[in-house]
Amino acid sequence: MSESTWQVPGADRLPEELAKNPIGGDGRSESMARKRVVVVGLGMVGIAFIEKLLKLDAKRREYDVIVIGEEPHLAYNRVGLTSFFQHRKVENLYLNPKEWYSSMPESSLSCHLNTLVTEILPDDKIVKTSAGTDVHYDILVLATGSDAVLPRHTPGHDAKGVFVYRTVDDLQKLIAFSETCKGSTGAVVGGGLLGLEAARAMMDLESFQSVKLIERNRWVLSRQLDGDAGGMVVELIRKLGLDVLLSKRVGQIHVDADNQVAGITFEDGEKMDCRCILFAIGIKARDELARKAGIKCADRGGGIVINPDLSTSQSDIYAIGECASWEGQTYGLIAPGIEMADVLSFNLTQAKAHVPRKFKRPDLSTKLKLLGVEVASFGDFFADRDGPKELPMRRAAAKKDATNSVEQMRNITDGPPPAPVKALSYRDPFQAVYKKYLFTLDGKYLLGGMMIGDTRDYIKLVPLVKNQKPLEVPPSQLILGADKVDDDGADDLTDDTQICSCHNVTKGDLAKVVKDGTCKSIGEVKSCTKAGTGCGGCMPLVQSIFNKEMKAMGAEISNNLCPHFDYSRADLYNIIFVKHLKSFTEVMKQCGRDPESLGCEACKPTIGSILASLFNQHIIDKPLHGLQDTNDKFLGNIQRNGTFSVIPRVAAGEITADKLIVIGTVAKKYGLYCKITGGQRIDMFGAKKQDLIAIWTELVNAGMESGHAYAKSLRTVKSCVGTTWCRFGIGDSVGMAVRLEERYKSIRSPHKIKGGVSGCVRECAEAQNKDFGLIATEKGFNVFVGGNGGSKPRHSELLAKDVPPDDVIPILDRYLAFYIRTADKLQRTARWIENLPGGIKYLREVVLQDKLGICAELEKQMSDLVDTFFCEWTEVINNPERQKVFHQFGNTSETIENVEKVEERGQQRPTYWAEESAHDDFRGTQWSSLSWQPIIEASKFPDTPTGSSNAVKRGDTQLAVFKIKGRYFATQQMCPHKRAFALSDGLIGDDIKSDKLWVSCPFHKRNYELKGADAGKCSNDDSVNIATFPVEEREDGWVYLKLPPVEELDNVLGTQKWVVKKGESEDPFEKLDRKLKGMKGRKPLQKSHLEGGMGEIGASKAILAGGNNGIEW
């Protein structure tokens, strides 16, 4: 099937039975005796139906599902499509991970991707695919969705640079094209929901100098808002930089000689230059497959005509989602499609014991944040314009009785009477808030409404409309009483209140999965109910309901460090500080649940960090070394091929030419890959563990020191040049940044810390997204705190204004010391400030006003830490005992490359990781024979409370040997997850109560059991396991392992068999480089732009040669 791309393990072909019995005769196997449901379309509605059907059918097992998707991707979140512009990874949009599809019961779900269904044969119950396959069905569900409308009547609609906004493929094409027209104008045609999303996407690309939104109506969002509300949205989005053109229709698209978009002429004759046009003017139901099969489709508006039970005109064929036409209407929102999936899955599985459900008029309420503007419409929001679609029963009856021939004649002559609706509006132009609620004439019922700016009451008003509940308060109270402190509270919501409109999840659904023990974390709630996995707007309420139910059950939402301690990180910090505990053993005896426990990969690094931040002992020394994650353990960030990075400190980014020369020669000597970081220093990658001491000896000898890039401590203090060079500078940003970095370097904290200092308000050092940042003012510095980048970026907040330079240090001393004392484990300053009672206001009271009376103590604590500074690498170089850990193997000086290298842009890097883990059953290997063999001297294993370990080499196989409380354990060295040879460097963990002992891989924390019947199993990833071997220490001073013959061991675990090789994974830039004609990221350059120039290699050789052939300084 050359046209198909398979992405789901175990689902790389349709079941063999299809080929044997394409029409589904009587010769089916037991699994084929179940009814086969074929779903055409793997979009949000298609996958929702599949999830619901499999869940409802789990006990009965009446159905097997085959889903055929046209796109090469698994089901993804089309509602969140705009986020693709930030991460560019379609996997981040997946509604379910790949593993979910293959985890279903055998033969219950088969997926076929990148395959188009070309024909339906209803009489034979067969669908034909583009791959030439005939697929039999018992029940066929069409979830083909819709296509974006392109105005094919408009001249130039087929030009290069014309796009629609519907799929990941559309976005990828737009992204690629935008790179070719930077600085030009982009246009979005259509001011609806999709149009505003598309406009935001084009703005996020930052390729266009300007983006213009073209709307044919007099305001945007005309299907959700009236003129007043739409006009306010226009004002707001214009302030955000989007140029909005109203009452404009595209008459013609101009093109150049290459059929490239050059501009637009509107129907009123006005012209506009642009290079890119994105149409978001609506959707058209994809009903062509059904029409071809003779299935009834709507003549006006299109769509497959469905009955209330979602059935079509052909028996056993159903349609759901945007392709379905119900009562002459198709729906472009996700919620109606999810409701259809609910109804159909219920009827197929539960209708035997229950009245079948019917699809009813869907709720078209929407609540979105578009271009930063909160917008909501709910219920019958145009009842005042179009007349109410439905009234409460008693009013509908009165209306019917009042209709007579006389009134009908009056309607013809005088026009229809006003709608039996009253509107209550509120408009605040200062806060950009607009609300309009629609009521019955007597004010007893809420019919619908719309909101701009303040949408907090949306979740509470929707049920009033849906349930047609008589109001218990005057209408005015609904619109004026919205300003409540607890806007995300759920206490006053009934169980049938819809919390997640994307997936139709109610408050009762959420409460149930918590009460019955199904879900014990917010992540499990999202996975189980799907709440929060669509647009994500319901998450505050979901979290509120989860917290309330957990509390009601007496369950504590714990922030304890790990199962070994009943204390948080902050609690442990204070206990260790007060009791002056200086070792992990003391901490465990005083604070642990089991005084004899070894701890685990969670608590060991945290306690190691606390001990370092209090007493600043060398982390390589034995009492602390076993607590460190691999980065701290070897004073360098471990890279994916098992080598380490070398990053000397470059305070404030200021470095001399002499140090640059030293760094360059060291990198060249040891073959290190070099890169300048965003933190203004030079990273050297690819240093072998056994070379680290020699490398750092040369650097330290040249006057450099550790940059602590491996530690949860201060990384850098970034600076602009300020008054040192810049003509605009008003503060010495470099001088201040150097002093701050020199003061706080090496100090351990709950998480990494970054700083920045800018010399003026132009903010070239980006100080306002750092953990602490300074911006020079005419009176000193404004001090900002609590900013960070990362997965959840946060802008910093102003802590103090116009601080004299002399007062900056005391303020930051207090701030950082308070953070180190009170933050939770791995908590950045941003999250810490958010969780402080009172936030930044409280922090100001503590740090600036000394509310707690501890400022003097905080300053003294920081001063004591600063006074104990030492360069960790210098101390290793000067101490032979500390150098003993820097070797690849404990039993030989031989070395092995663990990942193949590739040449790229003049430097070597490790090849990409393999796409698949090693799924061999290493644990279950049946060896032909085992014999005891001396492998490593016992003296290489010091007795420490946290255990010790070594990697050993035998033949071509790498093994890991551990000594824990006097007992030895041996495993393979390779972690199968990424085929990384690193288990000997992992942290040891235990659970004495359950007699569990494990090693945690330092790369991605796969935990492997070391003893007992489960030895070799991975406790947090069932897909991988490792081999273990008997091991013992003997009187001759050697550690013996019971191993198979060398050749047999190498055949199973040999390094050359498992080393990650070039070509095992797809080059992510292969397609792009073909488009860019093999640039590999850079335009080709022979040696130099100068004719006869030496080029970088020739010039560097001349410099290094010295003497008469070199360069005279």
Side-chain angles (χ1 to χ4, degrees):
M1 298 183 188
S2 58
E3 294 181 34
S4 300
T5 300
W6 298 94
Q7 296 193 354
V8 183
D12 57 351
R13 60 186 184 281
L14 292 172
E16 293 179 4
E17 291 89 88
L18 295 179
K20 296 177 183 176
N21 188 18
I23 303 179
D26 297 331
R28 299 202 225 180
S29 65
E30 181 182 346
S31 66
M32 294 297 286
R34 293 190 285 270
K35 287 187 176 182
R36 181 180 297 133
V37 178
V38 173
V39 181
V40 180
L42 189 55
M44 294 184 73
V45 174
I47 192 62
F49 168 73
I50 293 168
E51 291 174 359
K52 295 171 190 297
L53 182 71
L54 293 176
K55 183 177 181 179
L56 292 171
D57 189 44
K59 294 181 180 179
R60 298 175 185 265
R61 287 294 282 116
E62 292 181 297
Y63 300 104
D64 289 335
V65 179
I66 295 172
V67 59
I68 305 173
E70 182 179 350
E71 292 190 64
H73 311 295
L74 298 174
Y76 59 86
N77 182 5
R78 206 180 298 273
V79 176
L81 204 57
T82 306
S83 67
F84 182 79
F85 287 90
Q86 275 74 48
H87 51 70
R88 309 287 172 96
K89 296 179 181 177
V90 68
E91 291 82 7
N92 290 2
L93 294 173
Y94 281 174
L95 295 168
N96 294 303
K98 294 181 180 181
E99 295 77 14
W100 178 86
Y101 293 81
S102 55
S103 68
M104 295 297 105
E106 184 178 357
S107 73
S108 65
L109 176 61
S110 300
C111 294
H112 198 178
L113 304 181
N114 206 26
T115 302
L116 179 68
V117 172
T118 56
E119 189 176 4
I120 303 170
L121 304 178
D123 294 336
D124 298 327
K125 290 195 169 184
I126 287 176
V127 297
K128 291 179 173 290
T129 74
S130 58
T133 307
D134 288 356
V135 184
H136 168 84
Y137 67 83
D138 295 303
I139 295 171
L140 180 64
V141 179
L142 299 177
T144 50
S146 60
D147 281 330
V149 173
L150 189 65
R152 301 188 184 280
H153 62 279
T154 301
H157 73 272
D158 56 351
K160 298 175 185 176
V162 175
F163 298 91
V164 292
Y165 190 88
R166 191 67 184 155
T167 66
V168 167
D169 184 57
D170 294 333
L171 269 60
Q172 290 172 331
K173 290 177 180 177
L174 175 61
I175 291 169
F177 182 83
S178 69
E179 293 297 314
T180 68
C181 54
K182 290 192 172 183
S184 63
T185 297
V188 176
V189 182
L193 294 171
L194 197 61
L196 293 183
E197 281 290 315
R200 173 193 163 192
M202 289 189 77
M203 293 174 73
D204 286 347
L205 281 173
E206 297 183 352
S207 295
F208 300 101
Q209 183 176 5
S210 66
V211 176
K212 299 181 183 293
L213 180 70
I214 302 167
E215 167 57 27
R216 65 180 182 177
N217 293 302
R218 289 178 290 113
W219 64 87
V220 298
L221 299 176
S222 58
R223 291 192 176 186
Q224 288 78 29
L225 304 176
D226 62 16
D228 288 340
M232 178 173 284
V233 173
V234 170
E235 292 177 15
L236 292 172
I237 61 179
R238 279 175 172 165
K239 290 178 181 178
L240 295 172
L242 179 63
D243 191 1
V244 183
L245 307 180
L246 300 174
S247 301
K248 293 287 186 182
R249 293 175 182 263
V250 177
Q252 181 180 356
I253 299 171
H254 297 288
V255 298
D256 59 20
D258 296 323
N259 197 33
Q260 163 72 53
V261 170
I264 293 173
T265 295
F266 297 103
E267 288 185 354
D268 62 5
E270 186 179 347
K271 295 184 178 181
M272 183 185 83
D273 293 334
C274 66
R275 289 286 305 282
C276 179
I277 304 173
L278 196 159
F279 281 96
I281 56 176
I283 58 174
K284 182 181 183 300
R286 296 193 58 183
D287 58 10
E288 63 274 12
L289 195 62
R291 288 182 185 275
K292 184 178 177 183
I295 300 171
K296 185 178 180 181
C297 295
D299 293 327
R300 185 178 180 181
I304 305 165
V305 175
I306 56 170
N307 300 310
D309 64 351
L310 289 313
S311 63
T312 67
S313 60
Q314 289 284 355
S315 61
D316 297 321
I317 298 181
Y318 299 82
I320 58 177
E322 294 171 353
C323 68
S325 174
W326 180 79
E327 294 190 353
Q329 188 172 359
T330 57
Y331 299 96
L333 298 174
I334 181 64
I338 298 297
E339 177 65 14
M340 292 178 186
D342 270 334
V343 171
L344 183 56
S345 60
F346 180 91
N347 289 345
L348 291 179
T349 57
Q350 310 299 310
K352 293 176 182 178
H354 194 283
V355 176
R357 290 176 55 184
K358 294 181 179 180
F359 181 70
K360 301 177 182 178
R361 184 179 302 280
D363 178 20
L364 300 182
S365 302
T366 54
K367 177 175 176 287
L368 299 167
K369 191 170 186 177
L370 300 168
L371 287 165
V373 181
E374 295 280 356
V375 178
S377 58
F378 63 95
D380 195 355
F381 42 82
F382 281 146
D384 59 335
R385 185 189 72 181
D386 303 333
K389 297 175 182 176
E390 193 175 14
L391 286 169
M393 290 302 295
R394 65 181 183 85
R395 298 200 57 81
K399 178 183 177 183
K400 184 175 181 181
D401 294 338
T403 304
N404 53 49
S405 59
V406 176
E407 288 190 0
Q408 288 177 352
M409 182 60 65
R410 188 181 299 126
N411 290 346
I412 294 173
T413 57
D414 300 335
V421 169
K422 284 187 176 180
L424 187 59
S425 300
Y426 172 83
R427 181 184 177 99
D428 181 354
F430 303 101
Q431 297 295 322
V433 173
Y434 175 86
K435 299 179 184 181
K436 183 169 78 171
Y437 299 167
L438 305 176
F439 302 86
T440 54
L441 290 175
D442 58 7
K444 294 293 185 182
Y445 293 89
L446 176 67
L447 299 177
M450 54 191 69
M451 308 169 174
I452 306 294
D454 179 5
T455 61
R456 290 176 292 176
D457 284 343
Y458 169 89
I459 198 74
K460 298 170 184 177
L461 296 178
V462 170
L464 294 178
V465 176
K466 290 180 67 175
N467 301 327
Q468 293 191 340
K469 293 181 177 180
L471 299 180
E472 298 176 354
V473 297
S476 60
Q477 192 168 325
L478 292 182
I479 208 164
L480 298 176
D483 191 15
K484 300 174 183 177
V485 176
D486 185 15
D487 50 65
D488 287 327
D491 290 353
D492 56 346
L493 302 180
T494 59
D495 281 350
D496 62 353
T497 299
Q498 186 188 66
I499 302 300
C500 175
S501 59
C502 291
H503 291 281
N504 192 25
V505 183
T506 66
K507 177 186 175 183
D509 296 332
L510 295 169
K512 181 179 179 296
V513 296
V514 178
K515 288 177 180 177
D516 64 17
T518 303
C519 303
K520 297 180 179 178
S521 70
I522 196 67
E524 291 176 346
V525 170
K526 290 175 68 176
S527 176
C528 181
T529 66
K530 299 297 175 184
T533 60
C535 69
C538 62
M539 276 313 298
L541 267 174
V542 174
Q543 183 74 59
S544 174
I545 293 167
F546 171 76
N547 291 345
K548 182 178 182 296
E549 294 300 335
M550 290 289 284
K551 187 176 181 180
M553 294 166 60
E556 182 182 357
I557 304 171
S558 171
N559 68 334
N560 289 348
L561 189 59
C562 74
H564 294 97
F565 291 94
D566 289 325
Y567 300 101
S568 67
R569 181 212 170 263
D571 293 336
L572 281 171
Y573 181 96
N574 289 318
I575 294 171
I576 294 170
F577 173 67
V578 171
K579 294 189 175 183
H580 211 66
L581 307 177
K582 286 197 170 184
S583 71
F584 182 81
T585 302
E586 291 178 323
V587 174
M588 186 61 77
K589 285 181 178 179
Q590 293 277 342
C591 311
R593 288 185 175 180
D594 192 314
E596 302 303 319
S597 176
L598 289 166
C600 66
E601 68 280 2
C603 61
K604 282 181 174 177
T606 302
I607 292 174
S609 172
I610 292 173
L611 294 173
S613 63
L614 280 172
F615 310 116
N616 208 17
Q617 298 169 314
H618 203 298
I619 59 175
I620 292 291
D621 291 342
K622 290 176 185 177
L624 297 176
H625 195 232
L627 305 178
Q628 311 304 322
D629 246 327
T630 305
N631 291 348
D632 286 283
K633 188 176 285 187
F634 299 107
L635 306 183
N637 284 329
I638 191 170
Q639 306 304 315
R640 55 190 175 84
N641 64 342
T643 62
F644 294 83
S645 61
V646 173
I647 307 174
R649 185 165 299 284
V650 181
E654 182 184 63
I655 189 168
T656 64
D658 295 309
K659 287 183 178 178
L660 287 172
I661 292 170
V662 173
I663 289 174
T665 55
V666 167
K668 196 165 184 68
K669 179 177 179 179
Y670 292 95
L672 305 181
Y673 176 108
C674 296
K675 186 180 184 305
I676 296 175
T677 73
Q680 297 182 333
R681 55 184 177 181
I682 301 170
D683 288 13
M684 294 174 276
F685 296 91
K688 298 174 183 177
K689 189 192 298 183
Q690 58 272 21
D691 290 339
L692 285 173
I693 294 173
I695 290 171
W696 274 105
T697 298
E698 294 194 32
L699 293 173
V700 172
N701 182 59
M704 283 173 265
E705 62 188 20
S706 171
H708 290 92
Y710 48 82
K712 295 292 185 282
S713 64
L714 178 75
R715 296 294 176 84
T716 64
V717 180
K718 187 176 181 179
S719 74
C720 64
V721 293
T723 54
T724 310
W725 287 96
C726 180
R727 69 183 190 276
F728 297 114
I730 58 174
D732 185 356
S733 50
V734 178
M736 178 59 79
V738 167
R739 285 161 176 81
L740 294 177
E741 188 161 344
E742 288 293 324
R743 180 168 183 81
Y744 301 122
K745 64 184 181 184
S746 88
I747 293 172
R748 295 305 203 278
S749 56
H751 210 298
K752 61 187 175 187
I753 301 172
K754 296 181 179 181
V757 183
S758 287
C760 71
V761 293
R762 287 175 175 80
E763 246 284 71
C764 295
E766 301 165 332
Q768 290 180 87
N769 70 353
K770 301 293 190 291
D771 295 281
F772 65 84
L774 276 62
I775 299 177
T777 69
E778 292 182 355
K779 298 180 180 179
F781 290 92
N782 287 346
V783 179
F784 295 84
V785 295
N788 66 249
S791 59
K792 292 184 178 180
R794 183 180 189 269
H795 210 264
S796 58
E797 297 180 85
L798 182 67
L799 178 66
K801 189 176 182 181
D802 294 328
V803 178
D806 290 350
D807 293 339
V808 167
I809 294 292
I811 290 175
L812 290 181
D813 278 0
R814 299 171 187 179
Y815 161 69
L816 292 174
F818 191 52
Y819 164 64
I820 292 170
R821 282 190 177 195
T822 59
D824 209 346
K825 66 175 180 179
L826 298 178
Q827 188 177 48
R828 291 292 297 269
T829 58
R831 305 285 89 78
W832 169 67
I833 291 176
E834 288 174 352
N835 292 331
L836 284 176
I840 189 67
K841 180 181 178 182
Y842 174 75
L843 185 63
R844 290 193 192 106
E845 292 173 345
V846 172
V847 171
L848 303 180
Q849 302 166 22
D850 201 11
K851 177 179 181 178
L852 303 180
I854 60 172
C855 283
E857 186 178 343
L858 294 174
E859 289 182 43
K860 181 180 185 302
Q861 180 182 349
M862 184 58 69
S863 181
D864 290 343
L865 276 174
V866 170
D867 291 344
T868 60
F869 167 79
F870 56 86
C871 171
E872 290 172 341
W873 267 113
T874 302
E875 296 303 310
V876 169
I877 293 167
N878 292 332
N879 189 321
E881 188 64 28
R882 291 176 179 145
Q883 296 177 19
K884 290 181 179 180
V885 300
F886 293 92
H887 54 69
Q888 186 173 14
F889 301 112
N891 65 334
T892 178
S893 59
E894 296 178 29
T895 61
I896 301 180
E897 291 284 351
N898 291 329
V899 177
E900 280 191 358
K901 293 181 178 179
V902 295
E903 188 85 14
E904 190 169 78
R905 296 184 291 275
Q907 300 194 87
Q908 285 192 332
R909 65 160 177 84
T911 189
Y912 296 120
W913 257 326
E915 293 180 354
E916 290 292 328
S917 302
H919 294 299
D920 292 34
D921 183 14
F922 300 106
R923 180 173 175 266
T925 303
Q926 299 296 314
W927 307 106
S928 62
S929 63
L930 295 170
S931 61
W932 288 101
Q933 298 181 32
I935 297 296
I936 184 173
E937 294 177 85
S939 60
K940 298 289 183 71
F941 296 90
D943 288 309
T944 64
T946 52
S948 57
S949 60
N950 273 281
V952 297
K953 180 177 179 292
R954 179 178 181 263
D956 189 42
T957 298
Q958 302 181 48
L959 302 171
V961 183
F962 307 90
K963 184 179 183 182
I964 304 162
K965 293 185 177 180
R967 184 179 174 186
Y968 287 89
F969 303 89
T971 71
Q972 66 190 59
Q973 172 73 337
M974 180 189 70
C975 172
H977 173 234
K978 290 295 185 183
R979 289 159 50 187
F981 295 81
L983 288 185
S984 63
D985 294 334
L987 288 170
I988 302 298
D990 73 356
D991 183 349
I992 294 178
K993 186 177 293 185
S994 61
D995 196 29
K996 297 283 188 182
L997 184 71
W998 64 85
V999 59
S1000 183
C1001 176
F1003 279 87
H1004 300 106
K1005 303 306 179 189
R1006 293 311 194 267
N1007 293 344
Y1008 298 97
E1009 302 287 346
L1010 291 178
K1011 70 175 183 178
D1014 291 337
K1017 282 187 177 180
C1018 181
S1019 63
N1020 50 9
D1021 187 348
D1022 293 336
S1023 67
V1024 293
N1025 62 66
I1026 61 173
T1028 61
F1029 302 94
V1031 58
E1032 64 184 24
E1033 180 183 345
R1034 295 188 178 177
E1035 293 181 356
D1036 61 1
W1038 282 78
V1039 175
Y1040 285 68
L1041 272 68
K1042 199 172 186 180
L1043 300 171
V1046 172
E1047 186 174 333
E1048 183 180 0
L1049 184 64
D1050 286 348
N1051 285 337
V1052 177
L1053 292 171
T1055 303
Q1056 291 309 307
K1057 177 178 180 178
W1058 293 110
V1059 65
V1060 180
K1061 300 179 177 65
K1062 183 180 179 181
E1064 288 194 54
S1065 60
E1066 183 180 348
D1067 184 347
F1069 298 113
E1070 183 178 356
K1071 293 180 181 178
L1072 178 60
D1073 285 342
R1074 282 203 300 268
K1075 290 182 180 180
L1076 301 178
K1077 300 179 182 179
M1079 280 173 53
K1080 297 289 183 185
R1082 292 199 184 121
K1083 291 185 178 180
L1085 175 66
Q1086 294 300 318
K1087 285 186 178 180
S1088 165
H1089 286 296
L1090 297 176
E1091 185 177 350
M1094 299 172 70
E1096 61 179 304
I1097 295 176
S1100 66
K1101 283 183 177 179
I1103 293 171
L1104 294 172
N1108 294 330
N1109 296 324
I1111 291 179
E1112 299 200 8
W1113 302 99

